[in-house]
Amino acid sequence: GVIEALCKYYQNENKDVRRVWLSAGVDHFHSSLGDRGWGCGYRNFQMLLSSLLQNSFYNDCLRDTTLIPSIPKIQSMIEDAWREGFDPHGASHFNNRLHGSKAWIGACEIYSLLTSLRIKCQIIDFHKPTGPMGTHPRLFEWILHYYSTDHEGGAKVVCTSKPPIYLQHQGHSRTVVGIEEKKNKSLCLLLFDPGCSSQEMQKLLKQSSDGIGLKLLRKFVEKQYQIVAVNGVLSLEEKAARCRASQVLTSEKIP
């Protein structure tokens, strides 16, 4: 219910936000004692999957995935993708085995897993800052374009049908659930963080009109990012082609 609560909040927020684009509905999953410090990639996959399962467009791809899988199940699903031939270079890094380990996963493993399910996605590497003071305007502009395409009208709050975006940076990953455009034209990402507890996230469901709870979602700048963005469904032929391509090249670099 957090996306719906955000939509209501922004309808009444008049101070500094000019427009905001929000992803389709997505549930927040947080790290537990058992996976704290290494499980963020899995938790963000669970968040992305929770959104895709609410979208009938992905029913055929996900007909065998009616429930959100546990971390051990996700590990097995990634191993299955490797056995199909996806990303042999990445698989060798883990000695072709994840199940039962506490190994960190990243954007390449998420890409391989989604593609093995015939979910069309792209992995993009923003490997260095593109603005002053270590900022990333190219990343922010890419995400704005992703959410605003097909939504060019003048509505202040745009609740899109776009899935959230998997965002990887050094040592952690988060889920992009929207983007704000301020009245001064600056952009701000809205992120679900698996390191944030459910008790903290629930504050957003009953947030006051001053939006203090949004500090949980508005984040930071790092030096280097990768994203995985979902943009459709693959045919069996397209899936096979992407499997072959992943054996050579796994990411598009944005300078």
Side-chain angles (χ1 to χ4, degrees), residues 6-23:
L6 289 173
C7 190
K8 287 177 185 167
Y9 166 75
Y10 283 112
Q11 297 284 5
N12 300 316
E13 197 281 340
N14 289 310
K15 282 183 285 190
D16 63 341
V17 176
R18 179 171 168 262
R19 294 189 73 186
V20 62
W21 292 264
L22 298 171
S23 75

Side-chain angles (χ1 to χ4, degrees), residues 10-74:
Y10 283 112
Q11 297 284 5
N12 300 316
E13 197 281 340
N14 289 310
K15 282 183 285 190
D16 63 341
V17 176
R18 179 171 168 262
R19 294 189 73 186
V20 62
W21 292 264
L22 298 171
S23 75
V26 52
D27 300 333
H28 177 262
F29 286 79
H30 66 92
S31 299
S32 64
L33 272 177
D35 66 282
R36 191 158 292 139
W38 60 271
C40 57
Y42 301 101
R43 297 303 184 185
N44 285 303
F45 175 73
Q46 289 174 327
M47 293 192 222
L48 177 53
L49 190 59
S50 77
S51 188
L52 298 178
L53 285 170
Q54 296 175 49
N55 188 335
S56 60
F57 185 68
Y58 297 97
N59 281 358
D60 190 47
C61 301
L62 298 173
R63 61 180 181 273
D64 297 326
T65 313
T66 53
L67 299 173
I68 299 293
S70 65
I71 287 179
K73 175 62 176 172
I74 296 169

Side-chain angles (χ1 to χ4, degrees), residues 49-206:
L49 190 59
S50 77
S51 188
L52 298 178
L53 285 170
Q54 296 175 49
N55 188 335
S56 60
F57 185 68
Y58 297 97
N59 281 358
D60 190 47
C61 301
L62 298 173
R63 61 180 181 273
D64 297 326
T65 313
T66 53
L67 299 173
I68 299 293
S70 65
I71 287 179
K73 175 62 176 172
I74 296 169
Q75 291 176 325
S76 295
M77 292 165 74
I78 294 170
E79 289 177 359
D80 289 343
W82 289 339
R83 275 190 285 274
E84 284 189 65
F86 285 98
D87 191 18
H89 177 74
S92 67
H93 171 75
F94 296 97
N95 294 318
N96 297 287
R97 181 166 178 80
L98 273 176
H99 194 270
S101 75
K102 294 184 177 181
W104 294 29
I105 61 168
C108 291
E109 289 70 51
I110 299 299
Y111 174 87
S112 295
L113 175 47
L114 289 169
T115 308
S116 74
L117 295 171
R118 286 200 305 114
I119 293 170
K120 185 179 180 182
C121 61
Q122 60 188 131
I123 177 171
I124 302 173
D125 185 1
F126 296 86
H127 60 102
K128 63 181 181 182
T130 51
M133 307 292 290
T135 55
H136 280 268
R138 293 287 297 278
L139 167 68
F140 282 62
E141 288 159 11
W142 195 99
I143 291 173
L144 175 64
H145 182 263
Y146 170 85
Y147 280 120
S148 63
T149 300
D150 308 325
H151 296 282
E152 297 300 329
K156 178 187 174 184
V157 184
V158 183
C159 296
T160 75
S161 59
K162 295 288 183 77
I165 296 170
Y166 179 97
L167 177 73
Q168 180 77 47
H169 60 87
Q170 184 62 42
H172 196 40
S173 58
R174 295 175 168 92
T175 296
V176 183
V177 300
I179 186 166
E180 298 175 337
E181 182 185 32
K182 307 286 192 183
K183 289 181 176 171
N184 66 5
K185 296 296 184 73
S186 66
L187 299 172
C188 180
L189 299 185
L190 299 174
L191 306 174
F192 278 8
D193 188 338
C196 185
S197 70
S198 60
Q199 290 86 350
E200 287 292 302
M201 290 297 292
Q202 282 164 2
K203 293 177 183 176
L204 290 163
L205 299 177
K206 45 183 181 290

